[in-house]
Amino acid sequence: MTMAHHPPCRLAVLISGSGTNLQVIIDRIEAGELNAEIVCVLSNQPDAFGLERATRHGIPALVHENSAFPDRRSYDAATVEILKSHNVELVILAGFMRILTEVMVNAFPRAIMNIHPALLPAFPGLHSQQQALDYGVRFTGCTVHFVDYGTDTGPIILQSVVPVEQNDTEESLSDRIRTAEHQIFVRAIQLYVDRKISVMGRKVLISS
Ligand code: GAR
């Protein structure tokens, strides 16, 4: 249910690739189930398919390439400028394959959410699904968390457990995890939009 007394939460979604998580967020908003508005989609990859998804739905989609900047801080400073010019309230990292510096984190305190394809703190960084396969875990999953100064270390909002099958490949496991991502990511955004999340140190409290 949407909360009519709040104006739609202004989201920016940052992507690097296919954008299936972005698509689910778009669909929920269009169905009237999420009281939010995607005010811009940013991709650091010019050929990210997610850009096309945004454009199809009339959402401003921008290519914001990191190669044009000398370092991560200056790239982030430019990102902050774009996001602030759109009055963004919540930043969604939906498959954005860049580590943020404190320039971004400080500009949006406790207002950047990331989806990670593992049960953090296990398997942070890149190739988490392959890391899980190599380790031989029976279960892995996905995590939605706020972004802090570390890599995949911020306070955890929601997690979902996904079984690892004996004959899984990186692709089959990634597909199963992505299906779970699609559920918990929008749920976490919903909680934020409905002002049901508070953060106490490392812990995220969710009110009913
Ligand atoms: C998702 O599996 C997400 O967890 C992962 O990228 C994929 C993007 O899929 N993110 C990371 O690995 C971040 N380190 P999508 O473009 O189809 O939403």
Side-chain angles (χ1 to χ4, degrees):
M1 288 294 287
T2 54
M3 306 266 283
H5 53 281
H6 291 138
C9 183
R10 295 178 66 82
L11 309 180
V13 182
L14 275 53
I15 60 165
S16 300
S18 160
T20 64
N21 280 285
L22 165 66
Q23 187 68 56
V24 174
I25 300 165
I26 292 173
D27 293 346
R28 280 300 176 88
I29 292 172
E30 287 188 354
E33 293 165 6
L34 185 60
N35 186 27
E37 179 189 356
I38 302 176
V39 294
C40 62
V41 168
L42 248 64
S43 172
N44 68 318
Q45 298 288 348
D47 56 353
F49 183 64
L51 289 166
E52 197 176 317
R53 294 181 191 273
T55 306
R56 278 183 197 166
H57 290 267
I59 299 165
L62 267 97
V63 176
H64 181 44
E65 277 187 272
N66 47 284
S67 53
F69 294 86
D71 53 34
R72 292 195 292 129
R73 289 174 56 91
S74 56
Y75 177 72
D76 279 5
T79 310
V80 169
E81 207 166 298
I82 296 167
L83 300 182
K84 292 289 181 190
S85 77
H86 284 83
N87 287 320
V88 168
E89 186 181 340
L90 178 65
V91 181
I92 304 293
L93 306 184
F96 187 62
M97 304 306 281
R98 300 270 308 165
I99 292 171
L100 302 189
T101 66
E102 75 282 3
V103 174
M104 263 292 280
V105 177
N106 291 342
F108 294 94
R110 295 285 180 257
I112 306 174
M113 265 186 206
N114 182 46
I115 182 91
H116 183 77
L119 289 176
L120 292 171
F123 314 131
L126 294 175
H127 304 293
S128 308
Q129 302 92 334
Q130 189 61 50
Q131 289 187 57
L133 289 174
D134 293 346
Y135 199 94
V137 292
R138 297 292 188 195
F139 294 92
T140 179
C142 48
T143 303
V144 182
H145 65 93
F146 285 117
V147 174
D148 66 4
Y149 297 134
T151 303
D152 303 323
T153 54
I156 290 170
I157 305 165
L158 293 176
Q159 293 186 301
S160 180
V161 177
V162 171
V164 179
E165 306 294 349
Q166 199 129 293
N167 54 359
D168 261 334
T169 60
E170 185 176 13
E171 198 189 351
S172 64
L173 181 58
S174 299
D175 287 348
R176 195 174 309 118
I177 291 172
R178 204 171 292 110
T179 304
E181 291 182 12
H182 294 164
Q183 298 184 14
I184 63 168
F185 212 3
V186 283
R187 211 182 305 148
I189 297 166
Q190 181 89 57
L191 290 169
Y192 185 96
V193 164
D194 292 344
R195 313 280 200 272
K196 287 185 173 167
I197 293 180
S198 56
V199 184
M200 300 269 284
R202 276 215 54 81
K203 290 191 186 157
V204 172
L205 307 178
I206 296 172
S207 60
S208 50

